[in-house]
Amino acid sequence: MNILITLPKHLIEKIILGEKKFEMRKCLPKYMRIGVDGFFVVEKGTDDVRCWCRVDETYISIIDRCSAGYFANLENLANKVKVSENYIEKYANGKKIYLWKIGKVNVFECLGRGSLGVDKNPQQFAYCPLSYGESF
């Protein structure tokens, strides 16, 4: 089942341009089928759904200051998700994070959040109950 997430405009643009290769999240939705389903992205502060991204693979990462190669790993991760190293440290806070590898991206010109059956922009994510795989 596809999900809906909220991102700021600058990160959406990086996805669309192919610069952002991974999405970083604190969880992995239970009913999202990796390699088939993906996530719609609504622009923060709007109800405009800008794109859909298939999740091809997932990885688990733990950002731990005590681990060998900490700074190199942090820099590498920041480059993949297109956020600052400081942001990652605060977001992860020593806990497990999931990296969703972005595969195929479909860009939309005019798609509203309501057409996905979701009535508000999600804080974490929301399932799109009528959307499976590339069924849109």
Side-chain angles (χ1 to χ4, degrees), residues 19-107:
E19 297 173 8
K20 182 172 167 56
K21 306 289 186 194
F22 290 86
E23 176 58 22
M24 177 179 66
R25 292 285 159 155
K26 292 181 180 175
C27 69
L28 183 63
K30 183 176 182 179
Y31 300 112
M32 185 172 65
R33 297 170 301 160
I34 306 306
V36 176
D37 295 328
F39 57 95
F40 291 95
V41 184
V42 63
E43 186 176 321
K44 185 176 181 175
T46 75
D47 68 349
D48 299 332
V49 177
R50 300 280 311 278
C51 61
W52 174 86
C53 307
R54 185 179 59 228
V55 176
D56 282 350
E57 297 177 64
T58 61
Y59 304 93
I60 297 173
S61 183
I62 298 175
I63 306 302
D64 181 7
R65 282 190 161 270
C66 299
S67 66
Y70 170 76
F71 292 105
N73 290 337
L74 188 60
E75 182 180 10
N76 184 35
L77 180 56
N79 187 48
K80 288 179 181 178
V81 297
K82 297 300 182 194
V83 296
S84 71
E85 294 172 22
N86 189 42
Y87 178 86
I88 293 171
E89 285 184 306
K90 288 180 181 177
Y91 182 81
N93 195 24
K95 295 182 176 66
K96 176 171 51 175
I97 56 171
Y98 293 86
L99 301 174
W100 304 350
K101 185 170 193 252
I102 298 171
K104 181 178 182 180
V105 176
N106 290 341
V107 180

